[in-house]
Amino acid sequence: MSSVSKVTANKPARTTARAGGSAAAEIQDAAGNGQRTEGISIGVILGFPTEITEELQRWRASFGDPMAGVIPAHITLVTTTMTQDWEATRNHVRNVASRQEPFNVTIAGTGSFRPVSPVVFLNVEDGFGDCVSLHQQLQAGPLERELPFAYHPHVTVAHDVAPESLDEAETALKDYRATFPVASMGLYEHDDNGIWQLREELDFGTERDNDRGEDGARGAR
């Protein structure tokens, strides 16, 4: 079974997602300065239009992946990264978003990280270079760190399931293709309940002047 999708509006899924297999970081606000005494774990992703998200979650569930219902389909730009300075991190991510123009993404065909990791994914064709550029810009400054593997944009469709289920996923979606525009990216926080919470959806090419708290600080809480 294959699917061909053409989408003209970008409405990324903005649900929370539970992170599997790791304990949540201890997160505390330092009084008055927007910093965290124990650090904060963040991620940055490209969300997908709702119809594609739901379709890929159904596929992921069909392969027996227990994360299908709690991790919406997405492209990761910054994987789980600790930062000590929330304000500097958010301003950094906002600045990168403001310089990025919207672009089209095409996801097509399957690949796998086996035998290194039990993952089957959809390839990113159109938009691959944009994702790499965004990753390089984002994984700098307050988010700079050494990564164990080179960054490779992809869309996970099966992870940590039986080998035969990984084989099934790789075969079933080999002709899958979907094209859609992306015009924003989501900044997520890994909270102390192990849930990825969307903190801000950042439109590309736009200087934001909202999300202000009562004291006038952006994003105060």
Side-chain angles (χ1 to χ4, degrees), residues 101-113:
E101 294 298 321
F103 59 95
N104 285 333
V105 164
T106 296
I107 51 178
T110 51
S112 177
F113 291 132

Side-chain angles (χ1 to χ4, degrees), residues 91-112:
N91 288 337
H92 169 63
V93 176
R94 282 174 167 170
N95 287 336
V96 173
S98 72
R99 297 192 299 268
Q100 176 65 46
E101 294 298 321
F103 59 95
N104 285 333
V105 164
T106 296
I107 51 178
T110 51
S112 177

Side-chain angles (χ1 to χ4, degrees), residues 35-212:
Q35 296 185 355
R36 311 292 176 124
T37 58
E38 298 294 333
I40 177 173
S41 183
I42 69 99
V44 183
I45 71 167
L46 295 178
F48 290 0
T50 301
E51 55 267 46
I52 293 178
T53 297
E54 292 176 349
E55 179 183 19
L56 292 180
Q57 284 184 278
R58 288 193 297 271
W59 275 112
R60 190 164 178 171
S62 76
F63 306 132
D65 192 321
M67 293 292 102
V70 293
I71 301 180
H74 65 278
I75 297 171
T76 298
L77 297 174
V78 173
T79 191
T80 309
T81 298
M82 292 296 296
T83 179
Q84 297 298 321
D85 191 332
W86 169 248
E87 290 301 323
T89 298
R90 180 167 50 186
N91 288 337
H92 169 63
V93 176
R94 282 174 167 170
N95 287 336
V96 173
S98 72
R99 297 192 299 268
Q100 176 65 46
E101 294 298 321
F103 59 95
N104 285 333
V105 164
T106 296
I107 51 178
T110 51
S112 177
F113 291 132
R114 294 185 284 178
V116 175
S117 181
V119 173
V120 170
F121 56 84
L122 292 170
N123 298 299
V124 177
E125 290 187 353
D126 297 337
F128 186 95
D130 295 277
C131 291
V132 171
S133 175
L134 281 169
H135 166 78
Q136 291 173 341
Q137 294 176 70
L138 288 164
Q139 204 86 66
L143 297 178
E144 184 174 3
R145 72 183 181 96
E146 292 278 338
L147 296 176
F149 302 103
Y151 174 69
H152 182 85
H154 65 280
V155 184
T156 298
V157 291
H159 178 218
D160 203 20
V161 296
E164 55 269 26
S165 295
L166 293 172
D167 293 339
E168 180 186 359
E170 199 163 0
T171 299
L173 293 172
K174 65 183 178 64
D175 295 322
Y176 185 93
R177 175 174 291 268
T179 297
F180 51 92
V182 291
S184 65
M185 60 187 179
L187 173 60
Y188 281 76
E189 172 186 342
H190 190 194
D191 73 13
D192 56 2
N193 292 314
I195 305 293
W196 283 107
Q197 300 283 359
L198 178 65
R199 291 295 304 273
E200 195 166 327
E201 188 73 26
L202 298 156
D203 294 333
F204 291 153
T206 301
E207 294 288 346
R208 296 173 63 88
D209 191 33
N210 55 10
D211 193 29
R212 293 183 180 274

